[in-house]
Amino acid sequence: MNKIFALAGVVIKELYRRKDFYVLFVLTALITVGAGMANFFHDDKIVRYVKDLCLLLIWVSALVIAIVTTSRQIPAEREARTIFPLLAKPVSRGQVIVGKFLGCWLATGVALLVFYVFFAIIIGSKEQHWPVLIYLQAAWMQWLMLAIVIGMVLLGSIYFAAPSSTSTISFVVVVGILLLGGHLNVIALQQPEPMQTLLAVIYYGMPHLEWYDLRDFVVYNLGSASLLATLLATLYAALWTGIFLFLAWLGFHRKSLTT
Amino acid sequence: MNYVAVRQGFFFNIARFQSAQPARPCVAIMSTILKTEKLRVEYRSREFRQAAKVALNALDLEVHAGEVFGFLGPNGAGKTTTMNVLLGFVPPSGGTASLFGIDVREPIARQRIGYLPELTYYYKFLTAEELLRFYAKIFGIARREAEQRIAALLKLVELEHAARRPIKSYSKGMQQRVGLAQALINNPDLLILDEPTSGLDPLGRMKVREIIQRLKNEGKTVFFSSHELGEVETVCDRVAIVHQGELKAVGSVAEISAGHDNLEKAFLKIVGFQTASPT
């Protein structure tokens, strides 16, 4: 386990020594603070729009950090050839995969925490209301969703050599799932065969990332989701992450790496 | 301090560092440290209907404890492929390879080896201290011992002053010294060196030869590939010559060179190179 944490530590160090996170955080902060200061049409419910905008920016920023960071892990190790001194040590490729996953997940978790603390301060100062439980639940669910995304991107990075291809394909897939995932079964019913069956298979066979989106709960102060639902969502995320990491290991453990 | 003095101080430190390390009693004299049996590696072609390329064919090799073993061959002979198999980068298509009696496919086989690649490949956003700490964790070295070794190694390679600077700010020479430090972090019993003198100036080459000799005196086993036959002749106890993926000769330098003026001429004869006859 120490080896996995050591590998994860390097990923986290890389993230905070690069500029990506800071740029995204500053952008999110500027846009949110700017929107919060505006008072369009003297609307008393302006705070809802600010919440909506801020949460959207947090979602986009967290996805960008997770996908971009993860997609370059293995390819960058191969391109910079740092993988060779690493694998010449007593570390298995499975440990490398898990260490990279853990590093990316913890790094995005830290980023998410910073984003949500900023969000809570901005919104709390406007609403004078601090629903900490729902913020924690929303952040936890988003972090679980990111675990699935990171696992998926790590799998893609084993097969696509260029980080840009992995990032692009991952963005398309993730955004596709988030926008259409919940409606695919309804769309399937309106299609002729064999499209109907195909869409139904995709609907039941894909990870439902949209289930982890609690933004409406936060924006409209709907309270928190049930503990059972959170627990089931946690198990579902663990299952999908495990599947992706196992497939990534299958692809990586026998791969020839020539110096 | 001039260049030569810096280099001399650096390599003097290496001798002091190694003699300060506790000796491992478990390496018996003449025990086999590295072994390959009928080792075969094929690279499948991505082209349709193209035959697989045989990079290594039935390679039998044994390296014993405490010897300096030179691994020779022209470009494309299979030296790098052999090293890639030994280090677990490439799975063998057939046969077996082991380090300390453990199959190289097991990560634990690499617990007692140090590897110095031909060029420096390290995380440039880390400092030398962080890099060594990271590798120490990978080897499972206890924190207190790791800190002591890191301090000693940084002193050894004369990087104390730059220990907390990112590696990306280092000169090429400093990066090579980080490479040496990381190869010694676990006080290895077997050092695998991939063309260790490639790209070094004559003084640097001479000093690398000194290091190899000192490692041998410490009871370490050194396995290295090289194109520098003069250097191999000077430091190696035994050599192996591979050509076109097959082992062509193995033995002491004297045995290989017998009947020839020197190792270079023997090497050229073994790999089938025809020298131009005088007109």
Side-chain angles (χ1 to χ4, degrees), chain B residues 24-261:
Chain B
R24 286 200 181 99
C26 52
V27 179
I29 300 299
M30 290 308 284
S31 66
T32 302
I33 295 283
L34 182 160
K35 188 174 184 179
T36 67
E37 276 183 306
K38 304 269 178 270
L39 186 65
R40 183 179 174 86
V41 175
E42 288 177 8
Y43 291 117
R44 277 179 295 173
S45 173
R46 291 186 180 185
E47 301 291 321
F48 183 62
R49 286 190 177 175
Q50 278 272 347
K53 183 184 178 294
V54 178
L56 280 180
N57 189 21
L59 184 77
D60 289 320
L61 212 57
E62 272 193 34
V63 178
H64 305 295
E67 71 179 356
V68 178
F69 194 93
F71 197 46
L72 312 176
N75 287 333
K79 301 189 301 295
T80 303
T81 302
T82 307
M83 287 210 170
N84 285 345
V85 172
L86 292 171
L87 294 163
F89 304 156
V90 172
S93 314
T96 59
S98 62
L99 296 171
F100 302 97
I102 303 167
D103 191 313
V104 292
R105 285 173 289 195
E106 300 293 330
I108 196 69
R110 299 186 285 279
Q111 182 69 35
R112 287 161 62 192
I113 70 163
Y115 167 58
L116 182 64
E118 182 186 352
L119 299 169
T120 51
Y121 312 123
Y122 308 107
Y123 303 100
K124 296 200 189 303
F125 54 88
L126 293 182
T127 64
E129 204 175 60
E130 288 169 339
L131 184 83
L132 294 177
R133 200 170 288 134
F134 167 59
Y135 286 140
K137 280 183 190 166
I138 295 287
F139 277 109
I141 301 168
R143 181 178 288 189
R144 186 179 291 180
E145 193 184 345
E147 291 305 323
Q148 286 170 352
R149 282 195 198 182
I150 290 165
L153 281 167
L154 287 171
K155 191 175 178 188
L156 160 77
V157 297
E158 296 182 347
L159 283 177
E160 291 160 297
H161 64 288
R164 292 185 180 173
R165 260 170 47 199
I167 294 172
K168 67 183 170 200
S169 68
Y170 287 10
S171 68
K172 194 179 168 190
M174 289 165 85
Q175 290 188 26
Q176 281 174 325
R177 277 140 66 186
V178 172
L180 187 61
Q182 66 81 32
L184 296 172
I185 188 74
N186 58 329
N187 188 23
D189 289 320
L190 168 65
L191 263 154
I192 297 181
L193 312 173
D194 189 4
E195 302 196 23
T197 55
S198 165
L200 293 180
D201 60 19
L203 182 64
R205 287 179 188 191
M206 185 187 75
K207 294 298 181 185
V208 167
R209 280 201 293 271
E210 282 179 24
I211 298 173
I212 293 171
Q213 195 57 49
R214 282 168 182 165
L215 288 168
K216 190 192 168 193
N217 295 342
E218 292 286 321
K220 311 285 187 191
T221 311
V222 182
F223 178 80
F224 77 101
S225 70
S226 182
H227 285 298
E228 302 295 330
L229 298 181
E231 166 190 295
V232 169
E233 205 163 8
T234 312
V235 298
C236 286
D237 299 311
R238 290 198 306 142
V239 295
I241 298 173
V242 284
H243 184 46
Q244 295 175 338
E246 292 180 356
L247 184 67
K248 296 294 179 188
V250 63
S252 68
V253 174
E255 285 166 357
I256 301 276
S257 308
H260 301 88
D261 293 342

Side-chain angles (χ1 to χ4, degrees), chain A residues 24-37 46-63 111-127 135 138 142 213-216 218-219:
Chain A
L24 286 168
F25 179 72
V26 169
L27 267 177
T28 304
L30 282 177
I31 294 171
T32 310
V33 170
M37 279 160 50
I46 188 77
V47 71
R48 273 192 198 164
Y49 302 119
V50 176
K51 277 166 133 180
D52 214 359
L53 178 68
C54 188
L55 284 174
L56 178 68
L57 290 171
I58 290 174
W59 268 71
V60 172
S61 300
L63 274 176
L112 213 54
L113 187 70
V114 173
F115 280 128
Y116 269 91
V117 167
F118 169 76
F119 173 81
I121 291 169
I122 292 288
I123 302 304
S125 67
K126 282 198 159 292
E127 279 189 330
Y135 289 168
Q142 192 177 348
D213 185 356
L214 295 190
R215 280 181 297 162
D216 284 352
V218 178
V219 173

Side-chain angles (χ1 to χ4, degrees), chain A residues 17 25 28 32 36 68 78 94 97 100 113 132-133 177 219:
Chain A
R17 283 176 190 174
F25 179 72
T28 304
T32 310
V68 172
R78 293 180 65 179
I97 293 279
K100 293 287 181 190
L113 187 70
V132 176
L133 187 65
I177 293 174
V219 173

